[in-house]
Amino acid sequence: MNFVKLNLNDIEEILQLQDSIYEFLEQKEILEKLTREEFETCLEQGYVTGVFHEDELIALRMMYIPSLTEEEHLADDVGVNRERSIYSEISLVNPAHRGQKLQMKMGEYLIEQVRESGDFDYIFSTVMPVNLASLKDKFKLGFKIMRTRLKYGGKRRHILYLPLNEEVEVKGEALNVKFDNYDWMMNAGQDYIGDSLQDEFIAYYKK
């Protein structure tokens, strides 16, 4: 599979791919659409990869380097250095090309690029709790839920964390919590680490 580094010349195709996926979704709120300016920022930062099929862009994934002065910086939720942190941003896969693990393969590819750069120690992401596909993707890539809280003007989000130079250890008995048990996640959940998803249950371990 050939991964292509996308650039500003691909912006129209990127926006078209996002729009077509958004129209396809039954639950529109699952996809937080990016603006042209947000895509352009990620493209300029350079951690963007795409997959083409017969000259058509069918998938893309990107990382985003947040401003050190960002008000709700995710590094603060875990207590690590803002300067050494990068975000896993949007992933888009044309519905006609699902089932090829494109999202995960692009994620692995970009994580390796970030690791090789030597500029970052931590990767962060946020996931809407009802977006089980995105949550499963992050777990497979090694991310852990460190807490669940309201972000971005009151939106419920899992804060996921992948340190590049150490392991987040989980031990003891797993506590299986249904994916929509928000009361537990927002309160007791901050003392636990979310490790994996099985059916509709997240396995949590005591911090």
Side-chain angles (χ1 to χ4, degrees):
M1 181 173 298
N2 292 325
F3 296 111
V4 178
K5 185 172 183 177
L6 302 179
N7 58 51
L8 291 171
N9 293 327
D10 300 305
I11 190 70
E12 297 303 332
E13 277 199 86
I14 289 170
L15 291 168
Q16 187 177 347
L17 178 62
Q18 178 177 244
D19 286 343
S20 66
I21 290 170
Y22 185 77
E23 289 306 313
F24 178 83
L25 289 172
E26 287 184 24
Q27 287 182 280
K28 299 284 193 259
E29 69 274 11
I30 282 178
L31 177 60
E32 292 256 349
K33 292 178 74 175
L34 296 190
T35 64
R36 176 185 289 268
E37 291 72 23
E38 288 169 328
F39 276 121
E40 287 174 348
T41 297
C42 291
L43 289 165
E44 287 166 352
Q45 291 176 346
Y47 291 99
V48 182
T49 192
V51 178
F52 286 85
H53 176 72
E54 297 178 352
D55 295 329
E56 178 191 359
L57 180 66
I58 61 166
L60 72 85
R61 188 161 190 156
M62 52 180 55
M63 299 283 191
Y64 166 65
I65 306 168
S67 164
L68 295 179
T69 59
E70 188 171 291
E71 191 173 326
E72 294 186 85
H73 203 295
L74 299 178
D76 298 348
D77 288 301
V78 179
V80 298
N81 191 328
R82 287 186 174 198
E83 292 183 9
R84 303 289 296 174
S85 299
I86 188 170
Y87 294 178
S88 175
E89 242 302 344
I90 200 166
S91 301
L92 298 171
V93 177
N94 182 316
H97 294 272
R98 286 181 182 166
Q100 302 176 52
K101 299 184 178 177
L102 290 177
Q103 185 170 324
M104 190 179 73
K105 289 173 182 175
M106 290 188 297
E108 291 171 340
Y109 178 79
L110 284 179
I111 288 168
E112 194 53 38
Q113 283 200 327
V114 169
R115 193 190 302 277
E116 288 177 359
S117 77
D119 294 333
F120 305 97
D121 295 324
Y122 317 105
I123 304 178
F124 287 90
S125 184
T126 60
V127 172
M128 185 185 303
V130 297
N131 192 347
L132 298 185
S134 180
L135 191 55
K136 191 175 292 185
D137 164 72
K138 300 301 184 301
F139 282 142
K140 284 180 179 175
L141 291 171
F143 286 81
K144 310 290 185 191
I145 297 175
M146 301 306 286
R147 63 183 302 186
T148 304
R149 58 172 301 192
L150 298 179
K151 298 286 281 189
Y152 316 129
K155 296 177 180 177
R156 204 182 279 121
R157 292 290 184 270
H158 292 310
I159 313 296
L160 290 112
Y161 169 63
L162 175 64
L164 295 174
N165 302 308
E166 58 189 274
E167 290 285 326
V168 177
E169 288 190 24
V170 293
K171 51 193 173 186
E173 290 279 321
L175 184 64
N176 292 312
V177 179
K178 196 156 188 288
F179 79 95
D180 57 358
N181 189 347
Y182 306 128
D183 185 56
W184 184 90
M185 292 171 183
M186 306 277 285
N187 295 288
Q190 60 189 341
D191 297 322
Y192 287 78
I193 295 171
D195 178 69
S196 57
L197 179 69
Q198 186 66 41
D199 298 321
E200 295 186 333
F201 291 87
I202 300 170
Y204 280 91
Y205 294 83
K206 192 82 173 169
K207 284 183 180 175

